Amino acid sequence: MHIAHLLASSMGGIRAAGDLVARMQLSKKMRITEAKQYVADKLHVTPLDLSDPTMMRALREELDIGVITGVPGIAKGLAAKARIAELLDIEINCVEQFKKKTGLHY
Amino acid sequence: MKILTRMGDSSNVELTREELRTEFEQGSEEAAKKAKVPVLTENEVDYLVDMFAAPTRIWGAQRGNEVVMTKDGCVNALNSSRMSSGVVAPVNREVGVRLFESMLGFDSMEISHNDYSVKPQRFLKALEMLHVELLMETTIFPLLYGFMPNLGLYYRPDGSFENPSDLMPFGKIAEARATQEEAGKACLEDCIEMSDCMVEMGADGIDFDTVASTGDAEFYSVLQACDHVANETGLPVEIGMSAEMVLGFHGQLEYNGKRLAGMWPHEQLQICEEAGCAIFGPVSNTNTRKTVPWNLGKALTFVKACTEIAKIPVHPNVGMGVGGVPMFETPAVDVVTRCSAAMVEIGKADGL
């Protein structure tokens, strides 16, 4: 059933930019149109591009915010989220916890 | 010409185009009458009729209208039993979550234990914290920690509180109310304990799922827990409901001066907003004796009434037996994709 919903309606997560739009819904309670526009502005693309895996695959690699396939050297996990927090100008809880634990500030 | 679609139990049914239209209209009228909200418009029903009349196996939202997915039940569909439509795959939840991120391309995910209620999860607190902590380091998409408040587990024989269902048949209404209030406090404590411990683990939010399954007393506990999590820890909260109407097992509980019993989805949304909720998940329960078009017409009417007034994102529940989707452990893609797309195009959902 998950696959049926993904095919019919989903933004595609880190295949495209669904994770970024989801972050704006969670952290700022933005509705879908506002959340897409916010992310699109930050990425200098259109809202339509955010669901396009072809467009977003290359852009995510260029921005170094994590990609869906295994590419050596590209930011993964926490490193990718630290870059996403900076890109979207939001706080991501686990990134903040990491800073606290390590004493690193940037 | 007959159009092939399905009943709410997923069995096949053939309808004429006129019958199909009537099913959508009557389902919508049912929801409108119950919740006192507007019915679907003629244009919206036209769209739905065309969608269901199309002979294609699957349907989808228009390009550019895609929405984000949030999820309940963690990876139960992978490694649990038929109760969760699970396929008992030999996959632990760390691997499962990574697969939902990469292979399935989910927009977000929820981490929880297979035994999905907060009461059993509290006994596994340290393990739950560790798995969240580790997954936060290896994943990119947002991860919420989630559970069902499931107030029923606090009553005898599963819990220590007197069961209101045992008291009410004897006319002990005051006692039944009192035991719900006491059990609700214990449930609230557990919800807060399991939510608070996830802040330091780095979770992106908390998902209260299948909310109000035991009625207004449970809903009251969840609203208080939501207020605490959202306003004191700052973590976003998603509230996914269990039913289209809050059952009044207690009947007198109020939150911010509003009676919880008998609330319909658009009223539930507003009270959740007041409690600080970040994402609201309305439910429309599937009637297995009615057709999918009837059930979808009802669900869309409830959801539209929410999205038209919402200040926060609305993610309707579209799993097995809710949101028009048949009550069957392997729902067919022909109706699931149509319910999915309809929630976006007609329901104007912000996510699913």
Side-chain angles (χ1 to χ4, degrees):
Chain A
M1 186 158 55
H2 299 103
I3 293 171
H5 284 302
L6 291 166
L7 287 172
S9 310
S10 165
M11 292 194 68
I14 64 170
R15 280 170 62 85
D19 61 319
L20 308 182
V21 175
R23 285 203 178 278
M24 299 320 299
Q25 289 202 342
L26 280 164
S27 61
K28 303 291 182 191
K29 300 182 183 178
M30 287 181 178
R31 301 209 46 196
I32 188 72
T33 306
E34 186 189 2
K36 281 184 179 177
Q37 191 61 58
Y38 182 92
V39 175
D41 289 347
K42 291 289 183 187
L43 269 57
H44 305 293
V45 296
T46 68
L48 180 70
D49 295 331
L50 299 177
S51 310
D52 185 343
T54 310
M55 173 80 172
M56 289 308 304
R57 174 61 186 80
L59 185 56
R60 288 191 80 112
E61 183 161 344
E62 183 188 323
L63 295 169
D64 202 6
I65 55 171
V67 295
I68 194 154
T69 48
V71 181
I74 296 290
K76 293 170 185 64
L78 204 47
K81 284 188 278 197
R83 296 185 62 79
I84 288 169
E86 196 178 353
L87 179 70
L88 296 182
D89 194 20
I90 56 170
E91 280 192 358
I92 294 179
N93 187 19
C94 61
V95 176
E96 296 304 308
Q97 299 297 333
F98 178 78
K99 286 181 193 171
K100 268 193 218 168
K101 279 194 176 71
T102 58
L104 291 172
H105 297 280
Y106 48 85
Chain B
M1 194 182 105
K2 291 280 189 177
I3 295 157
L4 184 62
T5 183
R6 292 179 191 271
M7 296 295 291
D9 65 359
S10 206
S11 58
N12 283 321
V13 64
E14 286 187 326
L15 302 170
T16 64
R17 197 175 174 91
E18 290 69 34
E19 287 169 336
L20 184 60
R21 183 173 197 90
T22 303
E23 290 294 301
F24 282 118
E25 288 171 346
Q26 289 183 350
S28 178
E29 284 162 11
E30 175 81 4
K33 188 177 155 193
K34 283 179 168 175
K36 298 183 176 59
V37 295
V39 292
L40 298 175
T41 66
E42 197 177 331
N43 284 345
E44 288 165 344
V45 175
D46 285 344
Y47 175 90
L48 293 167
V49 169
D50 286 345
M51 176 201 275
F52 272 70
T56 58
R57 186 161 181 259
I58 63 171
W59 195 270
Q62 184 182 318
R63 267 192 75 181
N65 289 354
E66 300 91 343
V67 296
V68 295
M69 304 274 157
T70 45
K71 171 93 174 68
D72 61 10
C74 194
V75 296
N76 279 354
L78 283 180
N79 63 14
S80 189
S81 67
R82 63 181 297 187
M83 189 171 68
S84 305
S85 293
V87 296
V88 210
V91 173
N92 67 21
R93 64 176 158 175
E94 289 76 11
V95 173
V97 169
R98 295 286 301 277
L99 290 174
F100 268 83
E101 176 177 68
S102 55
M103 197 185 80
L104 293 175
F106 246 68
D107 301 298
S108 69
M109 191 58 187
E110 182 221 52
I111 305 170
S112 67
H113 195 265
N114 282 116
D115 197 348
Y116 192 34
S117 301
V118 68
K119 192 178 161 194
Q121 288 192 13
R122 182 173 54 86
F123 296 110
L124 301 165
K125 183 175 151 184
L127 179 68
E128 296 302 282
M129 291 168 73
L130 281 164
H131 284 181
V132 170
E133 190 176 25
L134 291 170
L135 274 166
M136 295 314 301
E137 292 184 1
T138 55
T139 56
I140 298 170
F141 64 169
L143 290 179
L144 292 87
Y145 183 73
F147 48 78
M148 300 191 296
N150 197 354
L151 189 61
L153 285 187
Y154 292 81
Y155 301 133
R156 292 173 195 163
D158 299 302
S160 56
F161 295 91
E162 280 198 276
N163 196 320
S165 299
D166 294 335
L167 296 167
M168 282 192 276
F170 295 101
K172 294 182 176 177
I173 304 301
E175 291 88 342
R177 283 183 175 137
T179 193
Q180 290 179 70
E181 289 166 22
E182 290 306 308
K185 284 177 196 165
C187 180
L188 171 62
E189 281 174 19
D190 288 347
C191 289
I192 287 178
E193 185 176 342
M194 288 307 292
S195 302
D196 280 359
C197 71
M198 294 305 167
V199 178
E200 283 182 35
M201 298 302 103
D204 289 305
I206 302 295
D207 179 25
F208 296 129
D209 186 55
T210 325
V211 166
S213 60
T214 52
D216 48 350
E218 183 182 312
F219 194 26
Y220 184 62
S221 296
V222 168
L223 292 169
Q224 290 175 297
C226 175
D227 187 346
H228 167 85
V229 176
N231 297 318
E232 292 186 36
T233 74
L235 274 189
V237 174
E238 176 167 10
I239 293 180
M241 300 302 292
S242 60
E244 58 203 37
M245 189 198 74
V246 178
L247 294 173
F249 279 115
H250 186 290
Q252 292 181 329
L253 291 171
E254 294 181 351
Y255 186 86
N256 282 356
K258 289 165 191 151
R259 186 170 172 259
L260 301 178
M263 278 190 169
W264 293 97
H266 66 292
E267 297 162 325
Q268 298 159 15
L269 159 76
Q270 290 170 303
I271 206 77
C272 287
E273 285 177 340
E274 288 179 28
C277 177
I279 296 177
F280 175 70
V283 159
S284 174
N285 302 98
T286 295
N287 183 336
T288 55
R289 290 169 299 176
K290 298 286 189 179
T291 64
V292 167
W294 186 94
N295 280 295
L296 182 57
K298 176 167 80 81
L300 289 169
T301 305
F302 284 137
V303 169
K304 253 190 77 187
C306 291
T307 55
E308 283 177 355
I309 60 169
K311 300 185 189 83
I312 61 173
V314 175
H315 289 200
N317 284 271
V318 281
M320 176 176 54
V322 287
V325 175
M327 185 66 195
F328 189 71
E329 64 186 23
T330 53
V333 294
D334 46 37
V335 282
V336 175
T337 55
R338 281 168 171 81
C339 290
S340 190
M343 282 294 172
V344 175
E345 300 293 355
I346 305 296
K348 305 298 178 196
D350 301 286
L352 297 174

